[in-house]
Amino acid sequence: METKIHVLPEELCNKIAAGEVVERPSSVVKELLENSLDAGASDILIELEAGGKRLIRITDNGFGMNRQDAFLSFERHATSKISTAADLFALTTLGFRGEALASIASVSRLRLTTSDNDAGLGQQIYAEGGKIKNAGEVGFPRGTAIEVRNLFFNLPARKKFLRKEQTELGHAADVVTKQALANPAVSFRLQNNERIMLDLRREKGVRERVAALLGKSLLPDLLTLERHSGEELQLTGLISQPQLTRSAASHIYTFINGRYIRDRVVQHAVMQGYRHLLMKGRYPVVVLFLQIDPAQVDINVHPTKHEVRFREQSLVHDFIAESLQQTLRPAEWLSPATGDLLVEKSKDHSTPPLQTQAVNPGNWVQASGSVREPSGLYSQSVTNPAQNHISPAAVVSPSPPSFYQSTSVGKSVDAAQYTLPGSEASGFFTRLQILGQYHQSYILCQDGSDLILIDQHAAHERVGFEKLRLAYTAGTIPSQTLLFPEVLELDFNSAVALGDNRHELENLGFEIEPFGGKSFALKAIPQLLGNRNASGLVVDVALELERVGRTGQLRESIDEILILMACHSVIRANQALATVEIKALFQELDKIDFKANCPHGRPVMQRMTLTEIERLFRRQ
Ligand code: ADP
Ligand code: MG
């Protein structure tokens, strides 16, 4: 009798398995690097052509294979790393499934050259689409080289999904970065089209490796973490102090028993460790290694081994979160005077909040006589006490420290560029009766019999964003030249993203020049930023560009970048505001649309009715 069901041929099985393991060139790099590390290599060379689409060649100085093993390594479910089911829970190697080589071979033209001896005698095997075409002896030093050409040459549908060279290279660099962080004692070199992309020599420890990969300038802000819970759990690594943050979680690197993983539980625990310390939407820089009894964790959840399952999930979660908290607690960011967390102190604002008359203008005139801004963007008018109304839209760039120089001459000209259109606005916000400021973060107002609470940071951000957007559409955003360019060191992907887009960024007021390797010189910044930390913004912008580079066009993300700029340029919470400043802010809020939310989507304002308040006091 004829059956409907049939067992698939081996070749097709391999292709199906490859679908899970080999998504793109970087997946091949990941698998081959794991094999090299499992073979005890101390030097690994990764050569790519066309971001790995044309060629991936990985050469290591590990222990290599003999002739028989070399042949066996191509077989599916052939591994030297485990033999019994029990071994699955006592893993000490990165690989164990025995399917990477078979999978990769089935979708490429693969040449394996390997030697397990010091006599220089090696083996070479060449396979196409998983079929061995020829094999023989060659001279080769101890170690292994695996060359993967024309990935997906026999799977055109998959091949179509591959992205442009730069994107694929970026993914591969990501993989190398992760392995390199976990193995500082191993040297890695990544080349693309014979150009050296990453050159990492052997290092003493993870700190040195982090400096080489993510930038030396991070080091002062990284705390060393070392904690353990009995014999079972051990956590080591580097975590950023709360002032060093990123706009994306991509710099949270977590490893379990030396394996990079991206696990929700671990990620959550890390963020929990930083609870109350970071602004919303900000992420720390973290490189953490968890050592755990292999019996307590199941790695075999997903073919790419990026996810894990813990036997005692909450134990691990709490251990990680507490370890971070303990390490962060004694750090310097605790403001000694107040004990408040993350206070961005108003440096040059000595006036108490809510002064009802124009604040002593002398306060804002420097010895040189130049105009000095009190605390934000909305204060030009107060420099002229005779003026009895506020011209809210006028923006004076903040007191330029000696190393800032405005590119344009007339301040008023620049200021005008940031003016929101429309004259004296009269609207909802301007009509509010201002009651005061709460916790230096919220403005309290009365509207009829309702109580209105306004988040000053969100409001400023909203206005700043609107101004930037106008300036951007009108032409370019005024910039200020730095007398001493600031040098920035980025990680590989951010550096590529910034390098690719630096000319576009000129329209946003940045002037950025390559400074060798992954470094850039920041020569001019948007004037709106004043003397605020511009390099922090550029790092954020680079991260955003990196994200965009992988998804679409820069144009589409201009808003995102403007939001970042607005966020970096405006007054934070915890800043005293004078009534004049509040009024100026309200004038501007009345001029813009969509003011109900800050650009991040957080509400700018909350309303409480008298009834609600009376209910609180049981009067209703
Ligand atoms: P796994 O790593 O899961 O065992 P692979 O298909 O990746 O499976 O590799 C199969 C086997 O080939 C490995 O178990 C190992 O013995 C051998 N091998 C692969 N790459 C190397 C290498 N670079 N050096 C030495 N041995 C290797
Ligand atoms: Mg492997």
Side-chain angles (χ1 to χ4, degrees), residues 230-297:
E231 298 279 281
E232 279 105 70
L233 288 173
Q234 195 199 336
L235 192 67
T236 56
L238 300 169
I239 62 172
S240 61
Q241 302 201 32
Q243 71 265 21
L244 174 66
T245 61
R246 295 284 183 262
S247 55
S250 52
H251 284 183
I252 300 180
Y253 296 98
T254 51
F255 302 83
I256 296 182
N257 295 345
R259 183 191 308 278
Y260 173 81
I261 55 117
R262 208 185 160 81
D263 181 73
R264 270 189 312 128
V265 174
V266 175
Q267 190 93 359
H268 186 270
V270 168
M271 292 313 286
Q272 184 82 7
Y274 280 90
R275 209 156 66 109
H276 303 314
L277 300 180
L278 307 179
M279 298 268 292
K280 210 171 159 220
R282 306 298 303 179
Y283 300 87
V285 177
V286 162
V287 181
L288 275 180
F289 302 93
L290 180 72
Q291 289 295 330
I292 180 171
D293 176 358
Q296 294 295 317
V297 58

Side-chain angles (χ1 to χ4, degrees), residues 31-32 35-36 38-39 60 62-65 69 73 75 78-81 94-102 112 114 143-144 146 305:
E31 293 297 335
L32 298 185
N35 283 344
S36 296
D38 280 345
D60 69 49
F63 48 61
M65 286 177 264
D69 282 341
S73 70
E75 301 281 327
T79 179
S80 56
K81 299 171 192 176
L94 294 167
F96 59 87
R97 298 170 63 101
E99 56 183 9
L101 277 187
L112 163 76
T114 186
T144 302
I146 295 181
K305 298 167 281 185

